[in-house]
Amino acid sequence: AQSVTQLGSHVSVSEGALVLLRCNYSSSVPPYLFWYVQYPNQGLQLLLKYTTGATLVKGINGFEAEFKKSETSFHLTKPSAHMSDAAEYFCAVSDKGNKLVFGAGTILRVKS
Amino acid sequence: EAGVVQSPRYKIIEKKQPVAFWCNPISGHNTLYWYRQNLGQGPELLIRYENEEAVDDSQLPKDRFSAERLKGVDSTLKIQPAELGDSAVYLCASSFSNSPLHFGNGTRLTVT
């Protein structure tokens, strides 16, 4: 069985500061890993994904994540937060990419 | 391309009443998913279709929930009768083969 743990249900950063959202996963097979963003009253939008190959993955809106097998982690980062980044972020794991198991989500607040 | 379309966006019903949600996936996407997202939680898979066949419905409460995907395109998710605990956002998603999931904006169900 696969599972995802997102540390911190709420994260608050100042505009221009580093964004770090934590995700740890459990999987019995090599995982596919995803980050999705959800704005209020909208569906989930894919930010980035890791399947195989390079462990540092770049996504949209300046976000990136690094797959660390030894730590079973896939943390999401962005060097400089923007007000428009305020949203809820979900980490997800899959065995082959077509059945996602999501974490509980992290709400990112960006202070001006 | 047009995204995943869901209707209605919002639905308020009294307990014990029936309710149905509709989803039109992205054209050409053979896989369709229904997820339920409870408040403050990540989405949880209810059912997954490959074309018109339900290939994973292990999390679907079959005593009151049903789904269909006629002709392998549109899909309908039904609850009969609804219970207070069914209040949630119901998300539809679609994908082609092992490509990432594309989500609709969801239907927010409130059962009173």
Side-chain angles (χ1 to χ4, degrees), chain B residues 16 19 24 26-28 30-31 37 43 51-52 61-63 65 71 75-78 80-81 87 99 111:
Chain B
K16 301 184 182 180
V19 65
N24 181 235
I26 293 173
S27 178
N30 59 323
T31 307
Q37 186 176 17
N51 298 306
E52 65 273 14
K62 297 180 182 65
D63 58 335
F65 285 65
K71 300 181 180 180
S75 178
T76 302
L77 178 68
K78 299 179 181 178
Q80 182 172 10
S87 295
S99 67
V111 182

Side-chain angles (χ1 to χ4, degrees), chain B:
Chain B
E1 64 179 7
V4 176
V5 179
Q6 292 187 246
S7 67
R9 285 299 311 276
Y10 305 91
K11 189 72 175 180
I12 301 174
I13 61 171
E14 294 182 347
K15 62 182 180 182
K16 301 184 182 180
Q17 294 302 306
V19 65
F21 315 125
W22 175 80
C23 173
N24 181 235
I26 293 173
S27 178
H29 281 194
N30 59 323
T31 307
L32 183 144
Y33 313 74
W34 283 103
Y35 279 84
R36 176 170 59 188
Q37 186 176 17
N38 292 313
L39 187 63
Q41 298 181 25
E44 296 178 323
L45 181 68
L46 291 173
I47 189 169
R48 175 167 63 97
Y49 282 92
E50 295 287 346
N51 298 306
E52 65 273 14
E53 181 183 0
V55 297
D56 184 354
D57 63 356
S58 57
Q59 300 301 312
L60 189 73
K62 297 180 182 65
D63 58 335
R64 298 183 299 108
F65 285 65
S66 65
E68 61 182 11
R69 190 184 184 197
L70 299 176
K71 300 181 180 180
V73 182
D74 294 2
S75 178
T76 302
L77 178 68
K78 299 179 181 178
I79 308 175
Q80 182 172 10
E83 297 178 352
L84 294 177
D86 295 331
S87 295
V89 175
Y90 291 82
L91 294 165
C92 180
S94 69
S95 68
F96 176 74
S97 187
N98 288 332
S99 67
L101 276 63
H102 294 258
F103 285 84
N105 286 334
T107 295
R108 182 178 297 276
L109 174 66
T110 302
V111 182
T112 63

Side-chain angles (χ1 to χ4, degrees), chain A residues 6-104:
Chain A
Q6 292 185 238
L7 297 176
S9 59
H10 292 77
V11 170
S12 183
V13 301
S14 297
E15 191 173 19
L18 171 72
V19 175
L20 171 60
L21 304 182
R22 300 179 185 274
C23 172
N24 288 89
Y25 69 91
S26 173
S27 179
S28 57
V29 298
Y32 286 13
L33 294 160
F34 305 80
W35 276 99
Y36 280 83
V37 60
Q38 187 176 34
Y39 297 100
N41 298 317
Q42 294 187 26
L44 282 73
Q45 179 183 2
L46 180 67
L47 275 179
L48 49 80
K49 63 175 180 177
Y50 168 80
T51 54
T52 59
T55 56
L56 182 63
V57 180
K58 296 185 183 298
I60 62 172
N61 301 339
F63 285 93
E64 62 182 35
E66 186 171 11
F67 170 59
K68 293 186 177 180
K69 183 179 179 180
S70 62
E71 299 178 7
T72 62
S73 70
F74 191 57
H75 302 329
L76 181 70
T77 60
K78 181 174 181 178
S80 176
H82 191 272
M83 297 297 291
S84 61
D85 294 326
E88 189 162 17
Y89 292 80
F90 292 93
C91 181
V93 64
S94 170
D95 51 5
K96 292 184 179 180
N98 57 4
K99 180 180 177 179
L100 296 179
V101 175
F102 286 90

